[in-house]
Amino acid sequence: MDALHVSLVHPLRSFRLELELELGRETVAFVGPSGAGKTSVLRAIAGLLRPELGRVALDGETWFDSRAGIDVPPERRSVGLVFQEYALFPHMTVAENVAYAGPQRVDELLELLAIASLRDARPGELSGGERQRVAVARALARDPAALLLDEPLAALDAHTRARVRAELGDLLDRLRLPTLLVTHDFQDAAALAPRVGVLVDGRIVQVGSPAELVATPASPFVADFTGGNLLRGVARPGGGGLTEVTLDGGVRIFSTDRLDGHVGAIVYPWEVAVAREVPVDSAQNHLAAPIASMVPVANRVRVRIGPLTAEITASSAERLALRPGEHVVASFKATGTRLVPLS
């Protein structure tokens, strides 16, 4: 089975990029903030960046080895690279852009990407989603053994993004190439890749499935990045096998996780219920505060209550007649409250 091996050490502006990665015929996503080194990893694999130390190899063929003095030029590496802004030639037609990378498969790839009807159009006449498909077709025209995608959905508006995300996911599943994509958007990564690595300041801080990153974040950054509320406080053993956390501000909450000292309590928005009064149910954690904001998201509403964001259905928000400024109670269970240590 084809496997892409990457080992890199390279100085960047304020830190050193240091990582090791191996992926087979699968899609792996690197997520992280801007400037974390994600694009530098792609450039090093493609041969556009020469690392200080390291090795890049695919299925036994070495493309780069700093110790052995091997550095295969980009044009001889079997890599398809899709740039963030797609980098299409504006004076060429769709068919000509694809043929520039390899003329043998143009018709096949235009059909595969459902852009055959656009073969004579130029990039300026295309929508964002259509340009993205042309860029992917051009990357595949090289018949690559590995595919690299740099922020493949960043240039799309929110409406187009959801549709193109689904199309790209289906395509990657069919291609079954070693594929590495980088993005600053966790939702994109979760939709496109079964395995996600979180890159912060040039280092991988956690690798796992999207569900694992959400359920057991290794750090406050991972929790925040995957959409969790982070509440800071001090933990100590509580009654009934629970951990009691006194939050900054004095409110006490409980978790089934066991931890002492300074902690971050992580609660995901969909774990938070909203009510007018403290509910009589199994939730042990309650936080009363005025509504700071309400933001509709599709058929849901994200409600900011004190330090918490809750995500509830639009029908629930309407039934409760919620309005900014009104006092409500946010409730969440001890079992849905994860704890991570804070230094």
Side-chain angles (χ1 to χ4, degrees), residues 287-301:
L287 193 153
I291 296 175
S293 64
M294 297 177 62
V295 180
V297 181
N299 63 342
R300 307 177 306 282
V301 179

Side-chain angles (χ1 to χ4, degrees), residues 167-180:
E167 293 173 356
L168 182 58
D170 290 341
L171 176 65
L172 295 178
D173 286 342
R174 282 182 281 146
L175 291 175
R176 297 289 294 166
L177 288 173
T179 300
L180 180 62

Side-chain angles (χ1 to χ4, degrees), residues 30-36 38 151 183-185 197-200 221 225:
F30 270 168
V31 298
S34 298
K38 304 184 301 295
E151 298 279 6
T183 176
H184 65 274
D185 190 303
V198 182
L199 194 68
V200 180
F221 176 85
F225 198 80

Side-chain angles (χ1 to χ4, degrees), residues 42-268:
L42 297 188
R43 288 172 56 82
I45 295 171
L48 303 176
L49 170 70
R50 181 185 174 92
E52 183 179 84
L53 294 170
R55 183 172 182 268
V56 179
L58 177 67
D59 198 26
E61 179 184 351
T62 300
W63 292 339
F64 177 79
D65 190 321
S66 57
R67 289 188 168 84
I70 298 172
D71 188 9
V72 176
E75 63 272 16
R76 289 177 48 206
R77 300 190 186 194
S78 185
V79 169
L81 174 59
V82 178
F83 294 93
Q84 180 174 344
E85 297 297 332
Y86 310 143
L88 301 176
F89 297 113
H91 63 286
M92 291 185 179
T93 67
V94 166
E96 289 168 344
N97 265 280
V98 177
Y100 184 85
Q104 293 81 12
R105 302 179 60 199
V106 172
D107 292 338
E108 172 197 347
L109 291 171
L110 295 182
E111 290 290 344
L112 176 67
L113 276 296
I115 49 176
S117 63
L118 303 173
R119 64 179 299 120
D120 295 323
R122 285 180 167 77
E125 302 169 344
L126 306 179
S127 69
E130 289 166 344
R131 286 195 296 272
Q132 191 236 39
R133 281 184 268 172
V134 176
V136 173
R138 187 178 61 182
L140 295 176
R142 297 190 66 192
D143 198 18
L147 187 61
L148 308 176
L149 306 174
D150 187 3
E151 298 279 6
L153 304 174
L156 305 178
D157 61 76
H159 176 73
T160 306
R161 191 181 191 122
R163 175 177 54 79
V164 177
R165 180 195 289 152
E167 293 173 356
L168 182 58
D170 290 341
L171 176 65
L172 295 178
D173 286 342
R174 282 182 281 146
L175 291 175
R176 297 289 294 166
L177 288 173
T179 300
L180 180 62
L181 71 90
V182 302
T183 176
H184 65 274
D185 190 303
F186 180 72
Q187 290 188 9
D188 288 347
L192 295 171
R195 194 155 57 106
V196 178
V198 182
L199 194 68
V200 180
D201 290 342
R203 296 176 183 266
I204 300 174
V205 298
Q206 188 172 1
V207 178
S209 69
E212 288 168 345
L213 298 185
V214 170
T216 55
S219 71
F221 176 85
V222 176
D224 180 64
F225 198 80
T226 56
N229 294 290
L230 181 66
L231 309 174
R232 297 174 182 270
V234 178
R236 66 179 183 84
L242 299 176
T243 297
E244 178 183 295
V245 181
T246 303
L247 301 178
D248 298 346
V251 175
R252 292 187 305 165
I253 63 172
F254 297 90
S255 172
T256 52
D257 290 356
R258 300 196 176 203
L259 211 56
D260 287 321
H262 291 277
V263 299
I266 300 157
V267 185
Y268 285 91

Side-chain angles (χ1 to χ4, degrees), residues 227-232 247 251 253 265-274 285-294 301-311 328-333 336-337:
N229 294 290
L230 181 66
L231 309 174
R232 297 174 182 270
L247 301 178
V251 175
I253 63 172
I266 300 157
V267 185
Y268 285 91
W270 51 88
E271 299 278 1
V272 181
V274 180
N285 300 322
H286 308 285
L287 193 153
I291 296 175
S293 64
M294 297 177 62
V301 179
R302 294 177 71 88
V303 185
R304 186 70 178 175
I305 304 163
L308 280 174
T309 295
E311 188 169 281
V328 294
V329 178
S331 303
F332 49 98
K333 296 182 179 181
T337 306

